[in-house]
Amino acid sequence: MSDPRDPVAQEIAEIPGRIRRLRRRHGWTLERLSDATGLSKAYLGRLESGERQPSLAALMSLARAFGVAVSELVGRDKAGGGFVVRGTRVREEHGNGLRFRPLTPPTAGGLEAMRVTVPAAHKPDRMYEHAGQEWLYVLSGRLSLSLGGGNEVLDPGDAAQFDAQIPHRLAAAGAADTELLLVAAPVAAPLFDSYLRRT
């Protein structure tokens, strides 16, 4: 049960209801949403019941399927139709072991940009894949980017761009957290159409 005095916990507690309302607004069954996102029907059922908290990847996949920004799923207020996002007003959110701050307003369309912190202690044990393209730029720390069967270590000032359908994984390389800018965009297919093929 969430603490009503903790705004972050309260927003997390409201995510299941938002997912359910959006699904019903589209007239979709859990099976139809599973087809649209690549997330299993059982996992989606647990998300809607509040038994599971969605990862960042799952939020991205759900947002794309519903045609909304991730910020709408996590309850961040809309930017009033504008395209200015004030960094001081963006709350840090958490998902999939990462910390992130959305940098695009809900009106940005298919483009998703965010500032991501990859904690040094984060040791991902799986690869992710989804439709579209990703571009990232390392601000500080060192990033280990696993892409397909290879691995690259990126330093501050380094950038990478890749087809996100190639299995990939982000991890900090070293004892310090890694800060990066991440931009994802659709290419001929819905953005984050299936970020997680299996849950």
Side-chain angles (χ1 to χ4, degrees), residues 33-177:
L33 183 57
S34 176
D35 290 342
T37 60
L39 302 170
S40 74
K41 181 180 173 182
Y43 176 72
L44 291 168
R46 291 194 294 272
L47 289 185
E48 286 197 5
S49 69
E51 295 176 34
R52 289 284 304 271
Q53 288 185 10
S55 66
L56 171 59
L59 285 172
M60 289 175 167
S61 187
L62 286 162
R64 189 60 233 165
F66 290 136
V68 301
V70 170
S71 57
E72 290 189 44
L73 287 176
V74 297
R76 198 164 57 88
D77 292 336
K78 292 186 177 182
F83 289 88
V84 175
V85 175
R86 303 289 182 190
T88 56
R89 298 181 189 173
V90 177
R91 288 190 298 271
E92 185 172 73
E93 296 159 9
H94 302 261
N96 200 34
L98 307 176
R99 304 194 303 270
F100 64 99
R101 295 178 184 270
L103 298 175
T104 42
T107 51
L111 187 70
E112 293 273 359
M114 60 188 70
R115 180 167 182 149
V116 178
T117 299
V118 184
H122 176 58
K123 305 298 180 188
D125 58 358
R126 63 186 306 166
M127 305 284 271
Y128 298 96
E129 54 188 278
H130 54 85
Q133 296 281 315
E134 280 194 10
W135 174 89
L136 58 83
Y137 177 84
V138 180
L139 297 169
S140 65
R142 304 181 77 215
L143 179 72
S144 174
L145 171 63
S146 297
L147 186 62
N151 187 81
E152 293 284 345
V153 175
L154 306 179
D155 294 310
D158 290 346
Q161 181 274 328
F162 54 90
D163 181 340
Q165 290 184 333
I166 299 172
H168 55 278
R169 177 172 56 206
L170 306 179
D177 292 353

Side-chain angles (χ1 to χ4, degrees), residues 36-39 61 129-131 190-198:
T37 60
L39 302 170
S61 187
E129 54 188 278
H130 54 85
L191 175 64
F192 299 126
D193 180 54
S194 183
Y195 199 90
L196 291 178
R197 298 297 185 189
R198 294 289 182 270

